[in-house]
Amino acid sequence: MASKKGKKYVFFFRPGKAEGKGNNKNLLGGKGAGLAEMCNLGIPVPSGFTISTEACIYYFKNGNKWPVGLQQEVDKNMAKLESGMGARFGDRDNPLLVSVRSGARASMPGMMDTVLNLGLNDKTIAGLIKRTDNPRFVYDSYRRFIHMFSDVVLGVEKALFEKELSALKQAKGVDLDMQLDADALIHLCERYKEIFKAHTGKEFPQDPKKQLQMAINAVFGSWNNKRAKDYRRLYNIPEDWGTAVNVQAMVFGNSGDKSGTGVAFTRSPSTGENVFFGEFLVNAQGEDVVAGIRTPLSIDGMGKTFPQAADKLRAIAKRLENHYRDMLDLEFTIQEETLYMLQSRVGKRTAASAIKIAHDMVQEKRIKREEAVLRIHPSQIDQLLHKTIDPKATLEVLTTGLPASPGAAVGRVVFSSEEAIELHAKGEPALLVRYETSPEDLAGMSASEGILTVHGGMTSHAAVVARGMGKCCVAGAGEIEMDEEDKTFSVKGVTVRAGDWLTLDGSAGRVILGSTDLVSPTLTGEFGTIMQWADKFRRLKIRANADTPEDATLARKFGAEGIGLCRTEHMFFAEDRILAVRQMIVSDTDDQRAVALQKLLPMQKNDFIGILEAMQGLPVTIRLLDPPLHEFLPKTKASIEKVAEEMGISADAVERRVEALSEANPMLGHRGCRLGITLSAIYEMQVRAIFEATAELKKRKVDARPEVMIPLVGIKKELEICKEMVIRVGKEVQKAEGVKFPIEVGTMIELPRACLVADQIAEEAEFFSFGTNDLTQTTLGLSRDDAGSFLPHYVERGILPYDPFASIDEEGVGSLMKLGIQKGRKVKPKLKIGICGEHGGDPRSVSFCHAVGLNYVSCSPYRVPIARLAAAHAALGEKRK
Amino acid sequence: MASKKGKKYVFFFRPGKAEGKGNNKNLLGGKGAGLAEMCNLGIPVPSGFTISTEACIYYFKNGNKWPVGLQQEVDKNMAKLESGMGARFGDRDNPLLVSVRSGARASMPGMMDTVLNLGLNDKTIAGLIKRTDNPRFVYDSYRRFIHMFSDVVLGVEKALFEKELSALKQAKGVDLDMQLDADALIHLCERYKEIFKAHTGKEFPQDPKKQLQMAINAVFGSWNNKRAKDYRRLYNIPEDWGTAVNVQAMVFGNSGDKSGTGVAFTRSPSTGENVFFGEFLVNAQGEDVVAGIRTPLSIDGMGKTFPQAADKLRAIAKRLENHYRDMLDLEFTIQEETLYMLQSRVGKRTAASAIKIAHDMVQEKRIKREEAVLRIHPSQIDQLLHKTIDPKATLEVLTTGLPASPGAAVGRVVFSSEEAIELHAKGEPALLVRYETSPEDLAGMSASEGILTVHGGMTSHAAVVARGMGKCCVAGAGEIEMDEEDKTFSVKGVTVRAGDWLTLDGSAGRVILGSTDLVSPTLTGEFGTIMQWADKFRRLKIRANADTPEDATLARKFGAEGIGLCRTEHMFFAEDRILAVRQMIVSDTDDQRAVALQKLLPMQKNDFIGILEAMQGLPVTIRLLDPPLHEFLPKTKASIEKVAEEMGISADAVERRVEALSEANPMLGHRGCRLGITLSAIYEMQVRAIFEATAELKKRKVDARPEVMIPLVGIKKELEICKEMVIRVGKEVQKAEGVKFPIEVGTMIELPRACLVADQIAEEAEFFSFGTNDLTQTTLGLSRDDAGSFLPHYVERGILPYDPFASIDEEGVGSLMKLGIQKGRKVKPKLKIGICGEHGGDPRSVSFCHAVGLNYVSCSPYRVPIARLAAAHAALGEKRK
């Protein structure tokens, strides 16, 4: 039917001409589009064809059936390929071999499957040996093919083949695969076929057409393997995109010492330096590089062996970079000294690299500032905002590896992903130490602070994934001797055990014994310049959530334009005041309570002086006490007794109060303004502290700008009552101190009801601040503390597209926000509205906040630059529309 | 200023002519409007004037100041009254005395204050004695005046005067006030004035003008006394209505044996019988009747002494009833054999009386059926739906009193309101036993199952209030000897102690020892007829919430048109299955869980057979498991051990599971469809049980109509997944049993998000049922279990107009409901939508549900008739508009 409609599923390409277009990634996938573009530019690329993502989508929607006509299209294109290559698929004398590779719209490195050397069978190897006169190469290709096909297409355990290979190398007394001779490889191929039969019950398939069909289906199917699904979830790639399949004539990097294969970047993916960068393995096929098993040559090293090919590669790289106006990631193979390009795509890079490249390309007048800002993904710069090792620290450097992903990390050593996840779940930092990582390790890497590998280079799996995640990584630290069984590793006699503390310096590749002090990053140089450009484009103001003068100072350094949320309760937990807080709570009478509050007043006042001074000239939104009182009381018998003793009352009395205050659902209990109304002395003390601090600073000519925020308002009258008190106390302080200052009162909008009656509430409020954490909890009826038992399952199963505590649930919470904004502004068109939930630092949520017309977002100090950039993206994205 | 605008605050009335109109209750209050109407009908009423509610509202809004001009208006009207009565206020020879009474828009019997005999002072008594030649009467009036004025106007403790009076009666060896002679009363007046001085520091005010001013202010102020506020909260009377004040020339029922005072009802307020009914006290003033201290004469008894006045009263009553077309409550005084009417208003009545009167008036062709239905307040019929004593029970009747308020009650004896409240709070039924009740007892009466008094008649405070509350009451059980100190009472040697069980039969006035079986009411006779009329008018369907066949049968008897909510978890708690439920929960593996579920399947199937059979031909909405699993596990160490033993596993294992399942906020946790999705075997078992039950009934030709309801859906996909399973299992059962039945799946809408994406959810749902309990909790962020610490305060302070768990919060929850309905019906215009929260039985909420276009409400079986009536009211109210 699809065929009758004339739908074309297959697109041919050969150097000089491709049916597909380079900008049609949606149809051809990233790899297919890149190959088409290179062909159209006349760059040497092995010919082949791309089966479109539409074919894949059809396949999934129709019970794993190909669309009508696809088989004919594939056959027609294979025939075209045969005639172009002068070889025939399955021919005994001159067999055509092909690679079958996945290629989705978005790059998902290593996540989906590839089969190389397809077309080999017991008969075609004979022809190939005759043509190449290189039996070692042919059997090497065959064993690779059997291994890959068995694994990818039929799911035969990889380890079975690897074990066989290791045993063989040991028997032959060699270290590397390439040292095995033809006889050894002939033997290996036979063993591999036996393994295949033992595990599938069938002979290894000999019909190349059948092999191709099975491989295409396997590549389609690999879209849905666990790794790929995990990756998509992590990077928010839609499930329904599907993958394209690229079938391409093989060129052989493993055909001898005049061949090889490599990857390159047109600039440094790690630092962004404008230096051509690459890695090359002689006599190898692509998977050898990516897997990181052998340590590769640099591009310069390759130039010594293959000067012509190296020059040609540099020239092509330059041409492609000019064409794409961006740093590119290239894959190439050299077969008998001839260069073939296998892939060209915009290269993944660290945040530092992204910033340098974007900055430099503006200097080079290749791109505009808008483009430069848009090229830095907000979530990516998170890695620049991570800490580095304190330059003043004394370090005991154990060994050094490759600086595979920048930043520093301190954690406890684990040797498996499972242990990393376990430790992380306990709230302890893990450092994952592995020979090498594989896509199976994704979750474990995500749970670790940093990754250390013994094998592999800068483009090894560990390095690529760690950079993508913004995790620190040291790769290829070859001095390390692992004893995975014993859960230890040692370097030159020093043994590190599981659980020991270790520090990694991903920027310098250093592995340091013990736990080391880290220092906070700053925004300077090119980063600072790009952030300044971003600031010009954005409309949203960015504030920070900060409870201490230190946090406030840091936030300001990171560009915060105010404090959006200063939580007063964090101050209550300080050691010097928790006792007074508890006395206040345990008080039986208003008089007793007043005494305790009187002790707290000067402490709170000092807190506010510190924060208001740090933020002078900028607004500081101070939220009055929010959590239920029982949060401040001890829970266990022992701690109750201790508190009782400190307070000089009986443990019974404390226990009774704990009991009386305990709640079935504290999230929905006696907290926020409900406390402020029923126990008004607490709020009154806090407000007095705020205004006394303000008055004192005013006297010292410090421009303090507090805004008093009332939490958990759902009813206009609640705000009315609290506001009345704030204004009264404010005026009392003004009178007593003889100083004038503005008294500004607003509210958090964190209950569905507050959004629904926002018009009424706006009559009393000078500002709204969406508390999207609680608003998410109430709108979805989802306790953040308890959601662990089902929310991950929901996200995994696609019931929710993502964790609503990480990104605003736009359909639910977002539509309540829109309602609240619309109703609030109907009454007060200039009402200042912000957000102070943790969503304020999430790029997707920032974009939403821009779209719905908020005035500001507020987030943790470390995420302020991310929010600044995300806000610029939102504004620029809107402009483009 | 008000006066300049020409605003009139005072309205004069005299027989034959009133300035005010009888239908203007808002301005004149109920009493003032009734007096005006009687005057306009030419009925003998002592002349006087009404100060409007607007004056009172002005007074409160302006710091307790009278509006400009009010004093002049009062003076002018007093002058008019003086000239009409031929007496002068404060005159030594012929003094005018007046009563000052409150009168709000809605009747609030006994809640606000009254001052009689105002105008008396040490000088005017002399003139009055001269004119009446009855010093005893004059001093009796004076002592009443001093007592009332001191209490009402200046807040001097009433008990001080009562103690003095008691002491005097004892000293004189008499039982009744009326037996005290003039000398004794002279002495009493002196003592009263001394008490006044001792407690106010001032002489008793002698200037009648001043007395009047103070009394008017006191009546205004009584609008805000605690009793009145409590009453308004109980009956949802707005705080801002204010009260009118009626100043009226005194006529004296206490001027001797040819005088008296009484109250009457044109039909029985207790049964509705068309019999003139009243009570009369010779030589008494109004408060003697209302207080219930002396047991009064019947109207027939009064006819013997005052035949002419009695005939006249009957004639006036008939004329007024014809005029108002309703049963009236009359107050009158006879002074020297001349009848004066003091009040006429629509009479309060029991539900049974209301029904009989409404029914009879339709038969008499005085009102239409619509009017009859509208005259029965839905919340009122609650009392008809209470239980009565099982006729088969053997009763040990201790004594008998007046059948003051119908119904039966079983409870434990308490002797004070405080104890009643305490016992009630513990979840135990209290029976309040008192000499007599006063407005201070309101809260205690509300907390009791029934009230028993030693003194007082059918119109005593206890009787009137109990009828209003729909509580059973036996009044005037004079055989009882109270020992309040000892907390016991005894009758003929049988002693009953505080805490003992007692049964009251309010319909027959019987007091029965011990706890007695009660039986459920039925809807028959006139009640049934009115309910049938109501059914004709309503548009909403009424369903019931029922979990057992017994409840379902009862609901059907009460007119339920289906089950709106059958909670499956209540079945889980039954003794014969809780063990299997716990095994299911504690299971470590799916296999273990399957074994436990297999045990539960036949039990659940039998439950459903019972309910579906009871409701055959009507829909039964069955909600799948909703609460979190930890609700089914034991909490204490001892019970954990017991369960472990029963289950044959270690206490540790049980404890670990309890620990693992515990949640910070269970209300927002792992429950509802979240369980059904993550542990799908549980839902699958339940669905299988439902459909196997259906299949079995279908085979027996029973028309079973289950509807499967998925709880806590907030995301379309949740419903999609559950629905898929329900349909699959349904088809499996159909195939296995060879029976066809419709498979209907819908969802509860109980999360804000569900309302916000109701259009998406509607695509998967065949019906919506609003779970307004949970929707209220999430929309307001208010845990029902924890709200006790602040919600009462919120309602008291007017932050919320009423408890949102009792009546739907229309602004918040209601607007989400409207959104959900609108979005749902946009996708499916015929979507069936109901409500199954407890609001389904609340008349105000039913009215809201009608207005927003729901198809049905579902409530507890006992409230089904209330909902039927409320639905009719809503439809009729809409028609009137």
Side-chain angles (χ1 to χ4, degrees), chain A residues 526-578:
Chain A
E526 287 150 351
F527 188 12
T529 305
I530 294 225
M531 290 308 298
Q532 281 168 11
W533 296 344
D535 287 346
K536 293 242 165 64
F537 301 133
R538 69 183 158 90
R539 188 176 68 214
L540 275 175
K541 294 260 177 201
I542 312 296
R543 296 195 188 183
N545 301 344
D547 307 335
T548 63
E550 295 71 36
D551 279 358
T553 305
L554 181 66
R556 197 161 190 161
K557 211 174 72 183
F558 278 170
E561 293 159 300
I563 300 297
L565 176 62
C566 171
R567 284 164 289 231
T568 50
E569 60 268 19
H570 285 197
M571 306 169 180
F572 277 24
F573 280 109
E575 228 175 291
D576 58 335
R577 55 195 75 170
I578 184 70

Side-chain angles (χ1 to χ4, degrees), chain B residues 707-722:
Chain B
E707 302 175 336
V708 178
M709 181 154 73
I710 312 297
L712 212 71
V713 165
I715 307 163
K716 178 190 175 185
K717 189 127 187 175
E718 292 176 322
L719 183 56
E720 209 175 295
I721 290 169
C722 294

Side-chain angles (χ1 to χ4, degrees), chain B residues 229-538:
Chain B
K229 279 174 168 284
D230 286 350
Y231 189 93
R232 287 198 291 274
R233 199 162 50 250
L234 208 62
Y235 292 97
N236 295 309
I237 296 172
E239 285 294 303
D240 60 4
W241 277 3
T243 181
V245 181
N246 298 288
V247 178
Q248 205 173 0
M250 282 299 301
V251 285
F252 298 95
N254 60 336
S255 63
D257 291 343
K258 293 186 173 173
S259 301
T261 189
V263 298
F265 293 90
T266 58
R267 303 189 183 205
S268 162
S270 181
T271 66
E273 246 189 314
N274 191 355
V275 173
F276 189 58
F277 168 93
E279 293 180 327
F280 180 75
L281 279 179
V282 176
N283 198 4
Q285 274 198 333
E287 76 271 22
D288 300 333
V289 186
V290 177
I293 296 167
R294 280 161 58 193
T295 304
L297 291 177
S298 71
I299 286 287
D300 291 337
M302 165 188 157
K304 285 173 195 150
T305 326
F306 302 96
Q308 280 180 327
D311 285 351
K312 199 165 179 188
L313 178 63
R314 283 176 195 275
I316 287 172
K318 192 154 202 117
R319 190 168 162 211
L320 283 169
E321 191 186 88
N322 284 338
H323 180 71
Y324 282 105
R325 299 181 312 124
D326 203 348
M327 185 272 271
L328 299 175
D329 165 357
L330 307 172
E331 288 183 18
F332 60 94
T333 283
I334 295 173
Q335 177 177 288
E336 305 296 329
E337 296 189 347
T338 304
L339 175 73
Y340 293 92
M341 299 304 295
L342 298 184
Q343 177 162 286
S344 153
R345 62 181 170 195
V346 170
K348 301 228 170 220
R349 63 202 78 177
T350 63
S353 166
I355 280 166
K356 174 141 185 68
I357 292 169
H359 179 267
D360 286 356
M361 285 200 169
V362 170
Q363 304 301 322
E364 295 161 20
K365 299 205 191 305
R366 303 227 204 165
I367 60 174
K368 296 204 168 166
R369 288 177 175 186
E370 283 88 338
E371 178 69 25
V373 167
L374 282 171
R375 282 204 182 163
I376 317 298
H377 194 282
S379 62
Q380 194 184 24
I381 61 169
D382 192 25
Q383 56 185 270
L384 291 182
L385 304 166
H386 284 308
K387 299 181 174 188
T388 50
I389 289 172
D390 184 352
K392 284 168 285 181
T394 320
L395 304 178
E396 200 178 332
V397 178
L398 179 67
T399 184
T400 301
L402 297 171
S405 182
V410 174
R412 305 180 69 176
V413 169
V414 295
F415 289 97
S416 72
S417 284
E418 292 67 38
E419 292 166 281
I421 293 164
E422 231 169 73
L423 204 61
H424 180 70
K426 288 187 197 151
E428 291 205 52
L431 284 190
L432 180 61
V433 183
R434 301 283 277 159
Y435 272 117
E436 56 195 311
T437 63
S438 73
E440 278 83 7
D441 287 316
L442 208 60
M445 294 172 77
S446 173
S448 303
E449 301 298 306
I451 298 106
L452 168 62
T453 67
V454 183
H455 300 308
M458 291 296 283
T459 52
S460 65
H461 179 266
V464 170
V465 172
R467 284 199 296 270
M469 288 181 171
K471 304 251 175 210
C472 150
C473 174
V474 174
E479 286 188 322
I480 288 177
E481 289 167 35
M482 293 275 277
D483 186 339
E484 280 187 303
E485 205 142 291
D486 205 33
K487 292 197 179 177
T488 60
F489 74 80
S490 45
V491 180
K492 296 171 259 178
V494 180
T495 300
V496 177
R497 287 162 211 290
D500 285 356
W501 287 91
L502 201 67
T503 301
L504 296 182
D505 176 0
S507 309
R510 294 181 295 179
V511 180
I512 298 149
L513 283 172
S515 164
T516 311
D517 284 346
L518 303 181
V519 291
S520 300
T522 51
L523 300 187
T524 50
E526 286 150 354
F527 188 11
T529 305
I530 294 224
M531 290 308 296
Q532 281 167 11
W533 295 345
D535 288 345
K536 292 243 167 62
F537 300 131
R538 70 183 157 92

Side-chain angles (χ1 to χ4, degrees), chain A residues 70-110:
Chain A
L70 179 56
Q71 184 63 58
Q72 289 91 314
E73 280 193 80
V74 168
D75 291 346
K76 216 176 66 188
N77 279 275
M78 274 304 290
K80 207 164 162 183
L81 189 57
E82 286 171 330
S83 87
M85 301 303 292
R88 289 190 44 214
F89 201 43
D91 194 275
R92 284 167 186 245
D93 297 322
N94 187 14
L96 172 67
L97 303 190
V98 296
S99 63
V100 181
R101 293 174 208 253
S102 63
R105 281 159 72 165
S107 169
M108 296 166 65

Side-chain angles (χ1 to χ4, degrees), chain A residues 663-668 670 674 715 718 721 753 756 760 779-781 783 786 789-790 794 799 809 811-812, chain B residues 663-668 670 674 715 718 753 756 760 779-781 783 786 789-790 794 799 809 811-812:
Chain A
E663 294 186 305
N665 295 288
M667 168 64 212
L668 309 176
H670 194 180
R674 296 163 189 174
I715 307 163
E718 291 175 323
I721 290 169
R753 194 181 198 279
L756 296 163
Q760 298 176 20
T779 303
L780 276 74
S783 162
D786 304 313
S789 53
F790 56 93
Y794 266 39
I799 297 173
D809 159 39
E811 291 186 333
Chain B
E663 295 187 304
N665 296 289
M667 167 65 211
L668 309 175
H670 195 179
R674 297 163 187 174
I715 307 163
E718 292 176 322
R753 195 182 198 279
L756 296 163
Q760 298 175 21
T779 303
L780 276 74
S783 162
D786 304 314
S789 53
F790 56 93
Y794 266 39
I799 296 173
D809 159 39
E811 289 186 335

